[in-house]
Amino acid sequence: MPPKAANAAVNHLRNKSRASISTACVVSTSSSTVESGLRIVGAHTDSPGFRIRPNGATVSDGLARLGVEIYGGPILATFTDRDLSLAGRISFLDDGKHLTHQLVRFNQPLLRLPNLAIHMNRGVNEDGLKLHKQNELPLLFAQLTAGQLPKPYFLELLAQASGIDATRILSWDLAVYDTQKGALWGANQEFYADSQIDNLASCHAALQALLNDAVLNSAESTLVCAFFDHEEIGSESHIGAGGSFLADVLQRINAAASTEREDSARALAHSFLISADMAHAYQPNFPAAYDADHRVFVNQGPVIKSNANRRYSSESVSIAHFIRWCEEAGVPHQRYTHRSDLPCGSTIGPIASAKLGIRSVDVGCPMWAMHSIRESAGVQDHDYMIRVLERFFSD
Ligand SMILES: [Zn+2]
């Protein structure tokens, strides 16, 4: 049987809104913040994919399509032949002419990007599936009759899904999501698969750790889970890790504990940030993609990520702290560096750490197929991550 926490994670991923347009802080405050500082776990809520263009609905030969922009760096080919739909946020005028915002989700499959048959693309298995980003990504969504116009037709669909009169809708942010539910897989159900594992799995692990009663009762520090939007596009927005959101929240927490400016600086000096984001697990079909000495494996524990050019925030002191928390929690750990001849990704870690002046380490559970619409990871790792974050929060 998989650990209970992993089941909870799968259920969480099944039930998530999929809209991925949120930034949030969850905080448990302590009266001794000045002396013991803040224990922060940072992660991101957004995932690469497609966003609907404002005037995206078009029709040709009776087939209505929605134009999309690419958000972040998805593996485009994985979006073909999936049961896609839409989720996001609508802004509208309510009855009293007040500006109002509401989340919306189409629950049924609404969209599809059908592949070209192999008979018309004979080289696909040799050359890979290459999709033209402007011309070949619009998503099919309806078959219209001669008198139907695509834009009002789509607006009416939006009105039906949201319950908001079409004439009141002013604007929207809509993301494409895969309606397929998460699943455990493997001979012993030791793996799980879903969309958006990067990085909702880390968000879930952090929240599970913070909401543990034993952690809340024993913690001497103020505990913070900080979840950011826009990591996949560089974090530079008012709600991204490059914005002032987290610094503002921490400043308010510190101000509530003490009005002395010096006390706030002392609290930050005693603080620590764990940047939790997924890592690249070894896939034995592609051995050349990895540094041979830094391969990390699913179900063998959290990965500590290092990069000499600080694409990750880890350094020897913060790494040593994390190893100690792993050992105290009875959790194994692994070490990862990226190949030198491949560009390394990054996380919110270096950005948030630099803005706050707080020591940080970049860690994450190993996973396969990062940025595919169907990612997968190890069940045991999720439990490991929760346990080491619980230890961190209790330190
Ligand atoms: Zn990520």
Side-chain angles (χ1 to χ4, degrees):
M1 284 289 286
K4 198 170 140 210
N7 275 332
V10 171
N11 285 332
H12 168 78
L13 292 167
R14 282 178 179 152
N15 295 328
K16 64 189 181 280
S17 79
R18 316 267 184 174
S20 294
I21 46 173
S22 57
T23 289
C25 262
V26 180
V27 179
S28 166
T29 55
S30 161
S31 56
S32 57
T33 297
V34 173
E35 297 305 328
S36 37
L38 302 110
R39 294 278 173 270
I40 307 164
V41 178
H44 67 90
T45 58
D46 60 323
S47 299
F50 296 154
R51 300 291 187 267
I52 302 302
R53 293 181 188 271
N55 298 324
T58 60
V59 66
S60 57
D61 301 313
L63 291 171
R65 294 182 297 166
L66 281 181
V68 296
E69 287 186 292
I70 299 168
Y71 177 85
I75 304 174
L76 296 176
T78 65
F79 284 69
T80 59
D81 304 327
R82 308 291 304 188
D83 301 332
L84 305 175
S85 200
L86 284 179
R89 177 178 55 195
I90 292 178
S91 294
F92 62 101
L93 289 175
D94 67 13
D95 288 343
K97 300 261 188 271
H98 297 111
L99 199 55
T100 309
H101 318 285
Q102 179 180 305
L103 296 181
V104 61
R105 179 169 71 174
F106 292 80
N107 292 316
Q108 301 300 319
L110 174 72
L111 310 164
R112 181 165 287 265
L113 182 56
N115 234 311
L116 202 54
I118 196 164
H119 314 81
M120 301 158 188
N121 190 12
R122 288 287 186 189
V124 64
N125 291 329
E126 288 69 38
D127 305 331
L129 179 58
K130 295 171 186 166
L131 297 162
H132 190 283
K133 291 175 182 170
Q134 176 64 26
N135 300 333
E136 296 177 349
L137 296 185
L139 304 170
L140 275 66
F141 76 95
Q143 198 157 31
L144 303 186
T145 57
Q148 290 177 313
L149 297 173
K151 288 184 180 63
Y153 187 88
F154 177 66
L155 200 57
E156 195 50 46
L157 289 180
L158 208 50
Q160 287 171 14
S162 63
I164 300 162
D165 191 289
T167 60
R168 295 181 183 276
I169 295 174
L170 301 178
S171 61
W172 64 74
D173 292 315
L174 291 173
V176 173
Y177 80 93
D178 189 354
T179 57
Q180 185 179 0
K181 305 292 187 193
L184 298 169
W185 63 279
N188 298 298
Q189 304 281 277
E190 62 268 58
F191 311 119
Y192 69 100
D194 203 348
S195 60
Q196 298 174 264
I197 290 173
D198 170 23
N199 191 26
L200 295 183
S202 301
C203 295
H204 179 267
L207 266 185
Q208 283 286 112
L210 186 139
L211 297 176
N212 181 319
D213 283 341
V215 169
L216 289 174
N217 292 334
S218 64
E220 293 185 2
S221 306
T222 289
L223 312 182
V224 180
C225 286
F227 301 145
F228 296 99
D229 200 356
H230 298 153
E231 189 271 349
E232 299 290 358
I233 53 170
S235 296
E236 290 297 331
S237 77
H238 76 291
I239 52 175
S244 64
F245 176 74
L246 181 57
D248 293 344
V249 170
L250 300 189
Q251 189 179 30
R252 288 178 177 180
I253 293 170
N254 290 335
S258 168
T259 54
E260 296 294 325
R261 193 175 158 79
E262 178 63 17
D263 285 345
S264 176
R266 287 169 62 201
L268 284 180
H270 292 138
S271 299
F272 196 101
L273 168 68
I274 290 181
S275 166
D277 203 345
M278 302 301 285
H280 301 298
Y282 182 66
Q283 213 283 33
N285 295 2
F286 307 105
Y290 304 85
D291 181 290
D293 299 317
H294 296 89
R295 299 179 305 167
V296 295
F297 298 86
V298 294
N299 290 325
Q300 293 192 23
V303 175
I304 304 169
K305 298 182 266 186
S306 307
N307 178 264
N309 296 299
R310 299 306 288 266
R311 302 285 292 168
Y312 301 128
S313 61
S314 314
E315 32 78 33
S316 62
V317 175
S318 62
I319 291 170
H321 278 291
F322 189 78
I323 290 173
R324 182 170 63 90
W325 290 318
C326 283
E327 289 176 349
E328 290 171 353
V331 166
H333 68 272
Q334 309 180 72
R335 298 291 300 271
Y336 181 82
T337 59
H338 210 57
R339 282 185 65 97
S340 295
D341 53 353
L342 290 176
C344 185
S346 190
T347 71
I348 61 133
I351 298 167
S353 171
K355 279 193 87 74
L356 298 169
I358 293 180
R359 177 158 274 148
S360 173
V361 64
D362 265 286
V363 303
C365 291
M367 67 175 290
W368 290 306
M370 188 179 285
H371 295 191
S372 165
I373 201 166
R374 193 73 174 171
E375 301 169 330
S376 57
V379 163
Q380 184 62 53
D381 289 321
H382 196 69
D383 186 57
Y384 284 147
M385 182 58 82
I386 292 170
R387 282 163 50 194
V388 70
L389 294 182
E390 287 171 349
R391 180 69 200 94
F392 165 64
F393 280 143
S394 305
D395 193 32

